[in-house]
Amino acid sequence: NAGVTQTPKFRVLKTGQSMTLLCAQDMNHEYMYWYRQDPGMGLRLIHYSVGEGTTAKGEVPDGYNVSRLKKQNFLLGLESAAPSQTSVYFCASSYGTAQETQYFGPGTRLLVL
Amino acid sequence: GQSLEQPSEVTAVEGAIVQINCTYQTSGFYGLSWYQQHDGGAPTFLSYNALDGLEETGRFSSFLSRSDSYGYLLLQELQMKDSASYFCAVRNTGFQKLVFGTGTRLLVSP
């Protein structure tokens, strides 16, 4: 099992450009999450999904959109990137009844110039 | 809402014991989780305390006191590979999703 995978691993964007981050999991987890991590700060939840076709806002959703068309995939989109979105983005998944035990992907490092 | 407080950095030597504290303020509370993250790596789950008391998993133990809104992670027989950041996290009955502390960086020296 690959667990949770993320693509790309690293990306540089110019302000105003758009991009999509892809997360895939092969553990048949119902719940999936997108977090961002900035220096000196913990993980902050951007959006999450409790099942195929559903999404919900987390703590810091502004400037991001998500979609979960298939159970195993969770996409994070930036429509118009801003320097404030420079961060490391982590995807995670969990069984619905065990949200405390989340499995994280390796992360995507995004730099917005 | 909720807030968590952890020390920003802790240092220790190989073979020693170190305790990383976490205090939290939240209304309605399921339990306290701990995650480890090495530099450049992904967070990995370490432990979860839903009930008061001590949970032991090998060299790592985690403790929770709901009445004191306090928990800690105890690392014994420290090894160099334990140098990492450690995050506590809580899930409350309102927001329903994990909220992470800002992390404690543990530096283990020879």
Side-chain angles (χ1 to χ4, degrees):
Chain A
N1 286 350
V4 180
T5 58
Q6 294 182 231
T7 53
K9 288 185 171 54
F10 178 70
R11 184 77 182 267
V12 178
L13 287 180
K14 295 181 180 179
T15 297
Q17 287 185 317
S18 63
M19 78 164 295
T20 300
L21 283 68
L22 173 63
C23 175
Q25 53 96 4
D26 61 2
M27 296 174 283
N28 203 33
H29 286 166
E30 297 90 356
Y31 285 34
M32 296 187 74
Y33 317 82
W34 275 108
Y35 293 92
R36 61 176 291 173
Q37 185 175 38
D38 302 295
M41 302 186 73
L43 296 147
R44 292 184 292 169
L45 184 64
I46 304 171
H47 285 281
Y48 64 97
S49 168
V50 301
E52 181 178 321
T54 71
T55 63
K57 294 180 179 180
E59 302 170 83
V60 288
D62 294 343
Y64 305 94
N65 57 75
V66 288
S67 65
R68 186 134 178 238
L69 299 179
K70 294 182 178 181
K71 185 176 184 179
Q72 63 267 34
N73 296 338
F74 196 28
L75 279 63
L76 177 71
L78 286 74
E79 290 187 349
S80 180
S84 60
Q85 294 177 304
T86 293
S87 189
V88 180
Y89 292 86
F90 287 100
C91 175
S93 68
S94 71
Y95 290 111
T97 55
Q99 294 185 54
E100 283 76 10
T101 309
Q102 296 186 14
Y103 296 81
F104 283 80
T108 294
R109 283 154 180 76
L110 177 64
L111 174 63
V112 183
L113 301 175
Chain B
Q2 55 260 307
S3 67
L4 300 98
E5 289 192 13
Q6 307 177 232
S8 59
E9 187 172 292
V10 173
T11 59
V13 297
E14 266 187 307
I17 299 173
V18 72
Q19 179 174 310
I20 299 174
N21 299 322
C22 175
T23 58
Y24 60 88
Q25 289 184 329
T26 184
S27 54
F29 174 71
Y30 287 109
L32 184 69
S33 303
W34 288 94
Y35 282 76
Q36 179 192 60
Q37 184 180 29
H38 288 97
D39 284 349
T44 56
F45 173 78
L46 287 178
S47 67
Y48 172 59
N49 291 67
L51 303 175
D52 282 4
L54 192 67
E55 296 275 346
E56 298 183 55
T57 308
R59 295 187 297 113
F60 293 4
S61 303
S62 56
F63 172 82
L64 174 64
S65 169
R66 286 173 172 266
S67 59
D68 296 322
S69 297
Y70 163 75
Y72 64 73
L73 181 68
L74 189 73
L75 296 83
Q76 302 182 71
E77 301 173 17
L78 279 174
Q79 301 176 8
M80 296 294 290
K81 67 178 181 180
D82 297 329
S83 291
S85 292
Y86 294 84
F87 296 88
C88 59
V90 299
R91 184 165 72 98
N92 73 9
T93 55
F95 181 52
Q96 291 281 327
K97 296 293 162 283
L98 273 188
V99 175
F100 288 81
T102 53
T104 298
R105 187 174 179 86
L106 171 62
L107 301 173
V108 180
S109 58

